[in-house]
């Protein structure tokens, strides 16, 4: 039996496990550097900005969707941003990924969001096909840009 639910504090160890599995899947495990305590604060602390949904299959946690709210000032409406959606390899094909995506679509509607956004790695054709099957479209009008680390500090410190 497949169940999708909002995560609780008790799920933080499983969410961390899934994040590490996601990192291993993409050979980027070192990118998962936040501690379990930091993850707990991010999802359940007094000023938390992150949210999570969990997929359970026959009582076992097999997937997660991590998300946050952002805002579109042109429409003056919130936007749900899906940061990570991951399902353990043995549970793929169970419907867990689709059910998580459906739960987030319902969450976006409940929160009055204008839309839902996410990013897919450019070479991840299987995931692109998954999202396209469920109505997702690629927005070719925008490129993702980033500033981090030394560049971020240098700009902030410019006088």
């Amino acid at each position: 039996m497949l169940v999708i639910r909002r995560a609780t504090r008790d799920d933080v160890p499983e969410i961390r496990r899934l994040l590490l599995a996601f990192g291993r899947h993409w050979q980027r495990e070192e990118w998962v550097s936040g501690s379990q305590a930091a993850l707990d604060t991010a999802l359940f602390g007094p000023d938390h900005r992150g949210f999570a949904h969990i997929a359970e299959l026959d009582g076992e946690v097999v997937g997660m969707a991590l998300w946050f709210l952002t805002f579109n000032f042109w429409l003056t409406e919130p936007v749900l941003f899906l940061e990570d959606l991951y399902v353990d390899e043995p549970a793929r094909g169970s419907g867990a990924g689709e059910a998580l995506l459906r739960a987030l679509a319902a969450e976006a509607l409940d929160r009055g969001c204008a839309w839902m956004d996410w990013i897919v790695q450019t070479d991840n054709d299987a995931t692109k096909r998954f999202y396209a099957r469920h109505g997702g479209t690629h927005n070719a009008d925008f490129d993702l840009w980033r500033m981090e680390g030394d560049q971020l500090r240098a700009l902030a410190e410019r006088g």
Side-chain angles (χ1 to χ4, degrees), residues 86-142:
Y86 181 76
V87 174
D88 279 329
E89 297 260 353
R92 294 191 186 155
S94 69
E98 178 183 353
L100 283 165
L101 196 58
R102 259 194 340 263
L104 291 190
E107 186 80 40
L109 292 173
D110 288 348
R111 290 175 176 266
C113 292
W115 60 73
M116 185 166 67
D117 277 334
W118 61 90
I119 298 169
V120 179
Q121 285 185 299
T122 54
D123 62 348
N124 190 346
D125 293 330
T127 297
K128 290 176 188 178
R129 286 190 301 273
F130 167 80
Y131 287 126
R133 268 194 322 272
H134 299 295
T137 57
H138 176 246
N139 188 337
D141 293 334
F142 297 96

Side-chain angles (χ1 to χ4, degrees), residues 31-57:
W31 287 5
V32 185
S33 60
S35 69
Q36 187 169 306
L39 184 58
D40 181 271
T41 299
L43 292 171
F44 301 104
D47 294 323
H48 73 95
R49 300 284 193 273
F51 303 89
H53 278 69
I54 295 293
E56 288 181 336
L57 187 58

Side-chain angles (χ1 to χ4, degrees), residues 7 16 59 101 119 151 155:
R16 174 94 168 119
L101 196 58
I119 298 169
Q151 294 85 8
L155 181 60

Side-chain angles (χ1 to χ4, degrees), residues 48-96:
H48 73 95
R49 300 284 193 273
F51 303 89
H53 278 69
I54 295 293
E56 288 181 336
L57 187 58
D58 299 326
E60 298 292 322
V61 174
V62 298
M64 67 173 183
L66 302 176
W67 57 277
F68 59 92
L69 293 172
T70 180
F71 196 80
N72 181 289
F73 282 94
W74 288 13
L75 298 175
T76 60
E77 294 180 6
V79 173
L80 189 149
F81 191 93
L82 169 59
E83 179 68 22
D84 289 311
L85 189 149
Y86 181 76
V87 174
D88 279 329
E89 297 260 353
R92 294 191 186 155
S94 69

